[in-house]
Amino acid sequence: MMAPAVDAAIRMRAVKKSYGTLEVLRGVDLDVEPGTVFALLGSNGAGKTTAVKILATLLKADAGTAMVNGLDVVAQAARVRESISLTGQFAAVDDVLTGRENLILIARLRHMKDPGKIADDLLARFQLTAAEGRRVAAYSGGMRRRLDIAMSLIGSPPVIFLDEPTTGLDPEARIEVWQTVKVLASRGTTVLLTTQYLEEAEELADRIAILHQGRIIADGTLAELKKLLPPAKVEYVKKQPSLEEVFLAVVGARGGDRDADVAGRVGSEVGGP
């Protein structure tokens, strides 16, 4: 089990969640340091969205504890919601309104002073000023997602959850979102990113956890995770393992004995359960 992080912005301990007889989370332990991008990596159905919903107070865990910004997500749910923002798999924007009107609407709902200035600042920050007067229905996928993330920043939440933010986007739009996440990280925002795209985690994350069959089976930096594979054979050029190779090897190790030695190294070298 991982060592506890005293100043963790996000923490889960032994969190379990089932839907009827289906066990989705089977004892998840997680620590995310403040001001970092943490990628929760897993296949479809691994439990990533369920974990995020528990942290965002949208679901209650069956067992275990979860903390965000030092606040218990059950006992202090209202305060947790005040300090976070959640962007789901599909952009939650109003197609009838313009980009600027979407931002002003959220600022007013959050009782912010000077909603117009807030909107103008965010439009400039996310390179949407030229499109501020256009209805969002005419935006590209990347623009819609950038606007969605901009809306989530109103009120300056210290923690942001991005649940598969590039699902369904083309490569160019995905790169736009990646650049947006990098800007967030550079400003000290804590970002928990769920994704099934291995290169996305590799590109953005300070730390990566692999969620498989309801458990965290590996947790570390990209360099630490790469050490789970045997050293590359040196012929003329040393080939470093990719995150995709690490992911497939670790997940495969839990499905049989073929890679049992890799599974053993997960707990000893990186801190998996």
Side-chain angles (χ1 to χ4, degrees):
M1 182 176 293
M2 70 183 71
V6 175
D7 57 348
I10 301 170
R11 175 176 296 163
M12 302 181 83
R13 286 290 180 271
V15 172
K16 297 181 179 181
K17 181 64 180 178
S18 297
Y19 299 104
T21 60
L22 177 63
E23 291 183 297
V24 179
L25 300 179
R26 300 191 296 158
V28 171
D29 293 323
L30 196 66
D31 280 313
V32 179
E33 296 181 5
T36 63
V37 178
F38 188 99
L40 188 58
L41 188 63
S43 306
N44 281 332
K48 304 184 300 296
T49 296
T50 296
V52 168
K53 285 183 176 180
I54 289 172
L55 290 168
T57 75
L58 300 178
L59 278 178
K60 286 188 178 181
D62 298 331
T65 60
M67 308 280 288
V68 177
N69 289 321
L71 303 169
D72 186 280
V73 299
V74 176
Q76 299 168 293
R79 292 183 61 192
V80 170
R81 289 192 288 270
E82 291 174 354
S83 66
I84 66 170
S85 183
L86 169 62
T87 297
Q89 296 180 21
F90 303 98
V93 296
D94 190 321
D95 287 344
V96 175
L97 301 179
T98 67
R100 190 171 189 272
E101 288 170 342
N102 267 277
L103 292 165
I104 289 175
L105 173 63
I106 298 302
R108 286 176 174 170
L109 289 173
R110 294 187 178 180
H111 307 290
M112 304 297 296
K113 295 181 179 179
D114 202 348
K117 184 178 186 305
I118 291 172
D120 292 338
D121 289 346
L122 286 170
L123 288 165
R125 179 172 164 185
F126 287 90
Q127 299 178 350
L128 291 169
T129 301
E132 67 173 271
R134 288 160 49 191
R135 288 188 177 184
V136 173
Y139 280 20
S140 68
M143 293 168 66
R144 289 168 64 88
R145 181 54 84 182
R146 293 208 313 273
L147 177 62
D148 192 28
I149 295 175
M151 290 163 61
S152 74
L153 294 181
I154 294 174
S156 302
V159 174
I160 292 180
F161 298 105
L162 300 178
D163 188 19
E164 301 196 25
T166 61
T167 295
L169 297 184
D170 60 42
E172 184 178 0
R174 289 178 67 196
I175 291 173
E176 290 181 18
V177 174
W178 288 1
Q179 292 171 340
T180 300
V181 174
K182 289 177 180 179
V183 170
L184 294 178
S186 71
R187 294 171 178 258
T189 303
T190 302
V191 179
L192 191 150
L193 167 78
T194 74
T195 183
Q196 57 182 312
Y197 298 126
L198 305 179
E199 71 274 19
E200 188 160 278
E202 200 163 3
E203 175 74 20
L204 297 174
D206 299 300
R207 195 171 185 88
I208 300 163
I210 297 176
L211 182 64
H212 180 61
Q213 295 181 351
R215 296 183 186 276
I216 300 292
I217 60 174
D219 179 1
T221 64
L222 180 60
E224 289 171 340
L225 292 177
K226 285 184 175 182
K227 291 179 181 178
L228 296 177
L229 293 184
K233 292 181 180 180
V234 178
E235 294 177 353
Y236 296 102
V237 178
K238 184 175 181 180
K239 179 182 179 297
Q240 292 291 338
S242 68
L243 180 59
E244 180 176 7
E245 290 171 319
V246 174
F247 176 82
L248 294 175
V250 172
V251 170
R254 295 301 170 117
D257 296 327
R258 179 172 56 85
D259 294 313
D261 57 325
V262 177
R265 294 176 65 187
V266 174
S268 61
E269 292 187 27
V270 184

